[in-house]
Amino acid sequence: MNFPPAVETRFPDFADQTGKLAGLGVEFFLASNETVRPHLNEGPYGYKLSWLDFTDTTEKDWSVREFLNLFNVINGIAFGDRGIPMPQWVMVDLILMPAAALIAGLPQDEFAAMVERSTFRFDTDVKQLLRKVQEDMRASGYRGPVPVGGYCAAPSAEPGRWVGWSLWSLMPAVGLGKAAKALALSAYRAQKLDGVTQYDNSALKVHTEFGALKVLVATVPFHTSPGSFVYQSDLTLPAGGELSEPSFLLDPFDYSRQQAMQKDIEAGRSEFYVLPPGHVRRDGTTYVPILEKELPR
């Protein structure tokens, strides 16, 4: 018997925005290769994804290679202020070969209009950089869609457990990030999801919509971005019954407190969870709501 993917069972309405997004011109693509295609769900939430094989050299109306290159370039622009652009070999070796990338694209006219009307909060140079992308597309003659968001994950050694990264969107307030992540997790048929993000990352608002995040590692000094932590979402948990009251509000830049949390985790004294909505404002400052569960000794 084929059971629906765990994310669809727990969050049945999380892709409801796909119809509205399609009305805005957004098309969702699943980029991978034919070797793993039979293991992917190309119809998440009943929405048919457009298949892209990165190894395909067949002539098309537009270049798949250039589309994926644009995904990499614009992904780097979206994450540029954090210093973690994705090298192309990473995209090939860790996404397109073992798994798939869920990519949202816009036709070029709609993309140009979006760039001009948008105010990008995460980097003042984004609009200038995206205009340069448009200039490069005109110079190359590329006529295909332009990536405006996406999500990537790769399978881990544990069956059903995936490691995700690179949730991004250039279209705020329309539910693109949430829809992209939900469609991707369904396409992967993920049961558990691990990831690394930062306490100050606005993506926490989307990540915590998929339930409270269990903090596996409270501080990752080795990571490029300060304030990074490792979390897990268990998509097999029953809906409802979320942990709602925080034990304390964490300053995203309080590295000493994050180190103390890690010591408690390592000693088996406590578990920590990042609660929805991921960020709360108090007296003009952003904090992360944290639930601490003390463990029996």
Side-chain angles (χ1 to χ4, degrees):
M1 180 180 293
N2 290 324
F3 295 99
V7 68
E8 294 191 25
T9 299
R10 189 173 182 199
F11 305 108
D13 61 341
F14 269 29
D16 286 356
Q17 290 290 87
T18 52
K20 177 183 176 181
L21 290 165
L24 297 174
V26 175
E27 182 176 1
F28 289 99
F29 299 86
L30 192 65
S32 182
N33 67 91
E34 291 292 338
T35 303
V36 298
R37 187 175 187 179
H39 305 283
L40 297 167
N41 174 23
E42 295 182 54
Y45 285 91
Y47 182 91
K48 180 64 176 174
L49 301 176
S50 298
W51 174 255
L52 294 179
D53 185 341
F54 86 101
T55 68
D56 192 355
T57 59
T58 305
E59 290 294 328
K60 295 182 175 61
D61 293 335
W62 46 269
S63 168
V64 172
R65 178 181 181 276
E66 184 59 25
F67 177 74
L68 294 175
N69 179 63
L70 286 168
F71 174 83
N72 204 33
V73 169
I74 299 174
N75 174 278
I77 292 171
F79 283 95
D81 62 335
R82 294 185 179 274
I84 48 175
M86 181 167 50
Q88 277 187 279
W89 72 263
V90 171
M91 187 174 180
V92 172
D93 289 14
L94 301 184
I95 303 172
L96 298 175
M97 282 296 294
L102 192 290
I103 305 174
L106 272 181
Q108 291 195 27
D109 289 346
E110 283 79 355
F111 177 80
M114 180 212 67
V115 170
E116 294 311 310
R117 69 172 177 264
S118 292
T119 301
F120 299 105
R121 295 174 297 168
F122 45 87
D123 189 328
T124 56
D125 295 326
V126 165
K127 186 166 288 194
Q128 178 181 344
L129 292 169
L130 292 178
R131 286 171 176 160
K132 176 63 166 59
V133 168
Q134 292 176 276
E135 292 174 6
D136 292 343
M137 286 192 299
R138 285 192 290 268
S140 70
Y142 176 70
R143 294 291 180 265
V146 187
V148 292
Y151 187 72
C152 306
S156 75
E158 178 183 332
R161 183 173 177 175
W162 287 68
V163 179
W165 71 93
S166 206
L167 173 66
W168 64 283
S169 168
L170 296 182
M171 299 176 67
V174 293
L176 177 57
K178 178 179 175 179
K181 184 170 182 176
L183 290 171
L185 292 177
S186 177
Y188 302 141
R189 297 187 175 92
Q191 295 179 311
K192 292 182 180 180
L193 178 74
D194 293 355
V196 180
T197 190
Q198 296 74 45
Y199 292 105
D200 68 322
N201 195 330
S202 61
L204 274 183
K205 296 177 181 178
V206 176
H207 293 320
T208 55
E209 289 198 66
F210 292 80
L213 308 178
K214 183 177 182 179
V215 179
L216 300 182
V217 182
T219 178
V220 188
F222 185 69
H223 197 279
T224 307
S225 292
S228 293
F229 70 99
V230 181
Y231 67 87
Q232 182 174 95
S233 297
D234 188 342
L235 303 173
T236 67
L237 294 175
E242 290 295 339
L243 309 169
S244 57
E245 292 299 322
S247 305
F248 61 92
L249 298 179
L250 175 68
D251 183 335
F253 305 103
D254 187 349
Y255 303 134
S256 295
R257 183 70 183 92
Q258 294 159 27
Q259 291 169 2
M261 289 166 59
Q262 178 59 22
K263 289 185 182 300
D264 285 339
I265 293 172
E266 292 174 355
R269 288 189 290 265
S270 297
E271 292 179 341
F272 297 92
Y273 296 83
V274 177
L275 301 181
H279 282 162
V280 295
R281 298 281 289 178
R282 294 289 187 274
D283 300 323
T285 301
T286 298
Y287 295 95
V288 180
I290 301 289
L291 174 74
E292 179 178 1
K293 292 180 65 177
E294 294 185 2
L295 299 175
R297 302 303 297 271

